Each structure stands twice: as structure tokens, then as C-alpha cells.
RNA sequence: GGAGAGUUGGCAGAGCGGUAAUGCAGCGGAUUGCUAAUCCGUCAACCUUUAAUUCGGAUGCAGAAGUUCAAAUCUUCUACUCUCCGCCA
């Protein structure tokens, strides 16, 4: 979240940022509440000061064995007054809390202005669109022929959108996860984590999933827990409430998790196979960094995610998201899109974002500034590195042979113990 | 599921109705001098004020409600942590 003080002192900038983000959030209510709050505070603080003063004089009198009855009676009315104003204050603060959680992060000045996906800027293309001497099959057909997934039977377990990987498909899924984790740990110096897949409401609120995206999450009401939509949630919350020594920054984590998304409102879109599912696997990269370096760290985060696609030899492009496409919590974001030969389009496999102190303010994650000795909010970043389903789509389609077999890229050979996936 | 103990500043830790000791670490300063020590100040977030990183005020003891002139301290509820028992992969 943003701080109320920041909104108050930079109202025009925040409003401009909201406009660029295509947000209809109204901050004038918030500013009105802010004034009310400060008026109440002033009132209550004067009364409290009086209370403290008289209270200590009562204490003095009693110590000296004197009668303090007069003061005590007077304090009774003051106390009641305080209670009344405090109630009012609490109401105003509740209104502020309700509203401020719906205000999205500000947009970084480097972000191109635009209102929808047409405003995104392609800043890079890597590799070539693969060329086929035959008509390439789509991943569904390939999966069926090679018995890699079973979408019909998975319905018996959990319904549509919960993929079941079978045989070499299951092994390939596991190989991709292992390959990516190993790569980030050994080549990019991330620390590997295996986090819980459920998180409580506070954790969800800290990273910005709640309150706005409640409907997109699976919930377990008996235990007040939610299924995580990304490992970003548990991993970012790992340092909640901590003050991290400046010398330990940046902290970099790579975490595998299953991800659960209800995808409410997107029914009928991308219903084919693996392209949009309720449960999927992802290796997530999360960084806790010094505020001065966060944009540099965003660039390397992007490079780290790209390295996976390069190692797998898959054609992709990088988008710099325009202001209107930025997610709620992000100040700047790059999307990585891999090429699907059968779909004949690019599919998003990663978003790399800088959240600046939007998440760390909610989660109260700080570092100790060496020169001032004061604690300040750190910046958080994260990016997928990568999500498997669409990666699987691109991989199968890109490396298919005319005879229907899949010739795996060399990077996966050690993880699969084979070079070619053949028709069983 | 049952029983018990606990949750205080960055950390450690006292206080158990009169308004948060003390130690360590950090930051600032002073002083003596030299593989460092000693002393002083400061040490979340908030409001107000200021030329100011200034003065002041209020808050703050897991969270919420209550009793009281006054709550870290008493009462109730909630959350979390630990220990033991039971059940289970």
C-alpha cells in the first residue's frame, strides 16, 4: 500500500499515476478522511495530555496521603470525553484502512503510458520463429499421441482446469522444475526455498492479493487459509516484520510452488489444454533489495528469467508493460512471452515486477541504513522463472519432429535421461 | 482433540494498578590515546510546530473489548509460539 502521508503530500502525482494506470480509485475520499483523522487526533491528544497531567497529580496526592476526590471526579468527565472522541477516531481510521488497501501502487516514470495491451512495448525478441516443413501439431494433439497428459480423467478428480500429467509428461514437468531451480541456484546465486502452499489472510494482504483479489483465490474457511496463487506470497512474507542488515542485501530466493487460481471471470477464454488452468507449477524468483538499486535489480531479474528460455532454445519476446496494463501492486513490469508455433502467437510465461516499497510497507520489511542508523523500507521484486504450463506448450510444439517425436533440447537431457520423447 | 506455559523496543530481559528498568547492538558526540577503552545523548510508527534531522504532545508491552480517576499490570475473548498426552501420514 501507499502511505497516507505520501498521498497527502503528493496528491497530484498520485492522481496522475492513477489515471495512467486506468484506475478509477477515488483518493479525494481518502484525503477527506485524513483531515477528519487529524482533527480527531488533535482533539483527543489535548484531552489525553490533560488526563496524564491530572492523573500524575492524583498519584502525587495519594502518595502524600492527601485527598484527591476532587480531581478524580473531574477526571471522570474527561475520560468519558476521551472515549467518545476515540470512538470517532477509530471509525475514521477504519474507513481509511478500508480505502487505502484498494489504492494501487504508483507507476514508475519510465513506464510507457497506454491504456491496454496495445500500449505495451516490445523491447526485445530473441531467437527465430521456428520454421516447419510440415504442419505442426498443437500441444493437445502431441500430448495425446505421446500420452503426456490426460485432461479427460483429471476431470474425475477435480474438474476442468486441473491438469493431470502422465508418464513422460509427468517426468518432463518435473524435469522442467528441477532444471529451472538448479539453474537459478547454481548460475544466478538464488537460495532455494520450498514454501508452504497455503497462507493466511495477513500474508495475502501483505503482498496485495487481498482484499482486491479475494474472488480469484481458493479459500479454506475452516482454517482461515488460502491456496497461494504464486510462491511470491509465502516467500515475500518470509521476512515480514524484520529489519535486515544492509550488508545482507540483496536477498534472492528461488522457490518452486504449485499455484492455484480460480480465474473467475475468464471462463470460456483459453480453455484449450494447458494454456489457462486452475493449478499449475511455477518457479518464482523473489528479491529483497536496497531501494537505491531496485531498478537495476529488476533488469537482472529479467535476465535471469530470460536465461531459462535461452537455455531451452525457445523463441520469445520481452514486453515492457504500459501503465494501463500494470498490475495492482507493481510500479514497473516486464512480461516474457514464449512463441507457440501451433497457436501461432506468443504466450506469457513470466512477469518481472518491481513493487518498490508497496509490499514492504504492508509487511513492514525494513533494512538498517548504515549511515543514518535508521530503519527504512526495502524494495521487493519478483518474477516467474518460469511458469511451466505454457513453457511446456512451447517446448513440445517447437521441438516436435515430422514423425511426431519430441527432440528435447540438450539442457533437459540430464533431467530426462533421454534425448527424444517417442510415441509409446 | 485434551492439558499446561508463554508473547514487552533491533536483540536479551525486568516490571504484576500510579504511567516501560537495565544490558548488548546501531547511530551521533565528547574524551583519552592506540591490536582499544570510558562517558553522554539518541534509538519504531503518529500529530503539531520549525529554517531544521528544532521544541512539544500523544501513542506504544501479541490483537480486541471491559473494570478504574489511572492498565504492561486486573477480567473476558481471539491469534500465534512452545511443552506434554492422544490420534494420524
Amino acid at each position: 500500500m501507499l502511505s497516507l502521508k505520501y498521498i497527502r503530500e503528493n496528491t497530484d502525482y498520485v492522481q496522475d499515476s492513477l489515471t495512467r494506470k486506468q484506475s478509477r480509485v477515488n483518493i479525494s475520499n481518502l484525503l477527506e478522511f485524513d483531515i477528519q483523522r487529524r482533527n480527531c487526533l488533535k482533539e483527543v491528544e489535548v484531552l489525553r495530555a490533560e488526563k496524564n497531567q491530572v492523573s500524575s497529580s492524583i498519584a502525587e496526592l495519594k502518595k502524600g496521603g492527601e485527598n484527591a476526590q476532587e480531581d478524580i471526579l473531574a477526571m471522570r468527565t474527561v475520560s468519558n470525553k476521551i472515549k467518545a472522541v476515540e470512538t470517532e477516531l477509530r471509525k475514521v481510521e477504519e474507513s481509511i484502512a478500508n480505502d487505502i488497501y484498494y489504492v494501487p501502487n504508483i507507476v514508475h516514470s519510465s513506464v510507457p503510458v497506454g491504456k491496454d495491451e496495445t500500449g505495451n512495448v516490445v523491447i526485445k525478441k530473441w531467437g527465430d520463429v521456428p520454421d516447419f516443413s510440415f504442419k505442426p501439431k498443437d500441444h493437445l494433439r502431441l500430448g495425446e499421441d505421446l500420452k503426456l497428459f490426460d485432461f479427460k480423467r483429471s476431470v474425475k478428480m477435480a474438474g476442468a482446469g486441473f491438469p493431470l500429467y502422465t508418464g513422460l509428461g509427468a517426468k518432463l514437468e518435473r524435469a522442467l522444475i528441477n532444471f529451472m531451480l538448479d539453474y537459478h541456484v547454481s548460475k544466478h546465486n538464488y537460495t532455494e526455498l520450498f514454501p508452504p502452499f497455503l497462507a493466511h489472510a495477513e500474508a495475502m494482504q501483505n503482498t496485495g492479493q487481498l482484499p482486491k483479489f479475494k474472488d480469484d483465490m481458493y479459500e479454506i474457511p475452516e482454517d482461515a487459509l488460502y491456496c497461494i496463487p504464486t510462491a511470491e506470497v509465502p516467500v515475500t512474507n518470509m521476512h515480514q516484520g524484520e529489519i535486515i542488515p544492509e550488508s545482507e542485501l540483496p536477498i534472492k530466493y528461488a522457490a518452486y510452488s504449485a499455484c492455484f487460481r480460480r480465474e473467475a471471470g475468464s471462463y470460456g477464454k483459453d480453455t484449450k489444454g494447458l494454456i489457462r488452468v486452475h493449478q499449475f507449477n511455477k518457479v518464482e524468483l523473489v528479491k529483497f533489495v536496497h531501494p537505491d538499486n531496485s531498478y537495476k535489480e529488476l533488469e537482472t531479474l529479467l535476465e535471469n528469467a530470460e536465461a531459462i528460455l535461452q537455455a531451452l532454445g525457445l523463441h520469445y519476446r520481452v514486453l515492457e508493460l504500459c501503465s494501463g496494463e500494470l498490475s495492482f501492486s507493481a510500479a514497473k513490469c516486464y512480461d516474457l512471452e514464449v512463441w507457440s508455433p501451433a497457436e501461432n502467437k506468443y504466450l506469457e510465461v513470466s512477469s518481472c515486477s518491481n513493487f518498490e516499497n508497496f509490499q514492504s510497507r504492508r509487511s513492514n520489511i525494513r533494512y538498517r541504513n548504515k549511515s543514518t542508523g535508521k530503519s527504512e523500507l526495502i524494495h521487493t521484486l519478483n518474477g516467474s522463472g518460469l511458469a511451466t504450463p505454457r513453457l511446456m506448450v512451447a517446448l513440445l510444439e517447437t521441438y516436435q519432429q515430422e514423425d511426431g517425436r519430441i527432440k528435447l533440447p540438450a539442457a533437459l537431457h540430464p533431467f530426462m535421461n533421454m534425448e527424444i520423447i517417442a510415441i509409446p
Side-chain angles (χ1 to χ4, degrees):
Chain A
M1 65 172 177
L2 300 177
S3 80
L4 192 50
K5 195 172 172 187
Y6 182 84
I7 297 174
R8 182 199 314 147
E9 287 170 0
N10 303 277
T11 307
D12 292 344
Y13 186 75
V14 172
Q15 185 54 60
D16 178 59
S17 183
L18 286 171
T19 310
R20 282 194 284 160
K21 222 169 184 174
Q22 303 283 304
S23 168
R24 265 172 277 149
V25 167
N26 184 341
I27 50 169
S28 57
N29 286 341
L30 214 41
L31 291 170
E32 184 54 42
F33 288 140
D34 180 42
I35 292 167
Q36 283 178 30
R37 170 173 169 268
R38 283 183 292 151
N39 286 340
C40 279
L41 255 185
K42 223 185 288 180
E43 202 176 332
V44 85
E45 283 185 2
V46 169
L47 289 168
R48 280 170 180 165
E50 187 187 341
K51 185 187 90 171
N52 289 342
Q53 215 170 2
V54 180
S55 275
S56 58
S57 87
I58 291 173
E60 284 298 314
L61 288 174
K62 289 221 161 179
K63 238 181 241 169
E66 293 177 59
N67 193 319
Q69 205 49 40
E70 204 174 306
D71 282 343
I72 288 176
L73 284 175
M75 281 311 295
R76 215 167 267 173
T77 42
V78 176
S79 273
N80 284 335
K81 239 197 222 158
I82 290 176
K83 257 175 211 162
V85 184
E86 275 179 343
T87 307
E88 201 181 329
L89 179 65
R90 207 170 310 118
K91 257 166 64 188
V92 176
E93 285 181 336
E94 257 170 50
S95 306
I96 291 171
N98 281 337
D99 282 10
I100 203 162
Y101 280 119
Y102 286 94
V103 179
N105 202 358
I106 46 128
V107 177
H108 189 250
S109 57
S110 67
V111 172
V113 177
K115 58 172 196 262
D116 53 33
E117 70 268 9
T118 60
N120 296 340
V121 181
V122 178
I123 58 167
K124 179 177 184 179
K125 284 192 179 183
W126 188 90
D128 298 315
V129 177
D131 200 19
F132 292 91
S133 57
F134 56 95
K135 187 173 187 311
K137 300 189 227 172
D138 68 22
H139 78 281
L140 281 174
R141 183 68 198 288
L142 288 164
E144 195 175 320
D145 293 349
L146 297 163
K147 303 227 180 309
L148 303 177
F149 334 109
D150 193 333
F151 289 106
K152 288 210 173 65
R153 289 196 172 98
S154 73
V155 171
K156 299 185 195 179
M157 307 164 181
F162 291 89
L164 167 64
Y165 299 83
T166 55
L168 289 177
K171 186 171 183 179
L172 181 56
E173 178 73 2
R174 182 159 55 86
L176 284 171
I177 295 165
N178 284 335
F179 160 66
M180 293 190 285
L181 274 174
D182 283 3
Y183 202 95
H184 292 306
V185 169
S186 65
K187 295 214 157 68
H188 301 146
N189 270 316
Y190 286 79
T191 301
E192 182 171 350
L193 299 177
F194 203 128
F197 292 177
L198 300 184
H200 51 232
E202 194 190 329
M204 292 294 179
Q205 176 138 311
N206 287 340
T207 38
Q209 274 73 26
L210 284 178
K212 207 185 162 193
F213 302 109
K214 189 171 166 44
D215 292 346
D216 283 317
M217 290 195 291
Y218 291 100
E219 191 178 352
I220 296 129
E222 288 91 332
D223 298 294
L225 290 168
Y226 296 84
C227 300
I228 57 169
T230 158
E232 163 193 349
V233 176
V235 176
T236 305
N237 276 283
M238 189 166 150
H239 293 292
Q240 187 258 101
E242 292 184 16
I243 296 183
I244 300 166
E246 192 173 349
S247 58
E248 284 178 24
L249 299 177
I251 297 176
K252 303 174 9 173
Y253 294 118
Y256 157 76
S257 87
C259 302
F260 305 90
R261 300 185 181 180
R262 294 185 63 231
E263 299 288 349
S266 63
Y267 290 109
K269 258 204 284 185
D270 301 325
T271 49
K272 279 203 289 185
L274 287 174
I275 291 176
R276 184 178 295 273
V277 286
H278 291 309
Q279 179 185 322
F280 61 93
N281 296 308
K282 179 158 65 67
V283 170
E284 183 76 359
L285 305 175
V286 178
K287 290 196 200 179
F288 300 83
V289 310
H290 192 287
D292 293 350
N293 302 333
S294 66
Y295 282 91
K296 220 183 272 172
E297 294 283 357
L298 178 61
E299 298 302 317
T300 56
L301 180 66
L302 175 64
E303 283 168 24
N304 295 159
E306 284 184 65
I308 296 295
L309 293 174
Q310 291 175 11
L312 294 175
L314 295 170
H315 171 58
Y316 68 90
R317 67 178 187 181
V318 181
L319 296 182
E320 183 173 12
L321 292 194
C322 73
S323 56
E325 285 279 287
L326 273 184
S327 70
F328 179 74
S329 308
K332 185 180 176 75
C333 178
Y334 295 111
D335 270 7
L336 232 54
E337 296 187 332
V338 71
W339 178 255
S340 157
E343 297 289 322
N344 201 39
K345 65 178 185 194
Y346 292 94
L347 303 174
E348 182 191 330
V349 284
S350 176
S351 285
C352 298
S353 311
N354 187 354
F355 303 95
E356 299 197 3
N357 61 24
F358 193 80
Q359 295 179 327
S360 59
R361 179 170 296 106
R362 291 185 177 194
S363 337
N364 202 20
I365 308 172
R366 295 165 293 171
Y367 73 99
R368 175 95 43 200
N369 188 313
K370 199 90 180 71
S371 53
T372 62
K374 297 226 173 202
S375 56
E376 295 169 12
L377 296 170
I378 53 119
H379 283 191
T380 59
L381 301 95
N382 68 55
S384 343
L386 310 155
T388 60
R390 295 170 188 168
L391 182 62
M392 177 78 85
V393 170
L395 187 80
L396 296 177
E397 291 179 1
T398 299
Y399 288 107
Q400 62 181 299
Q401 308 297 301
E402 190 157 16
D403 60 10
R405 299 188 302 168
I406 311 288
K407 201 174 160 193
L408 293 168
L412 291 177
H413 295 173
F415 294 91
M416 288 297 283
N417 292 317
M418 64 178 70
E419 299 182 7
I420 286 183
I421 297 179
I423 293 168

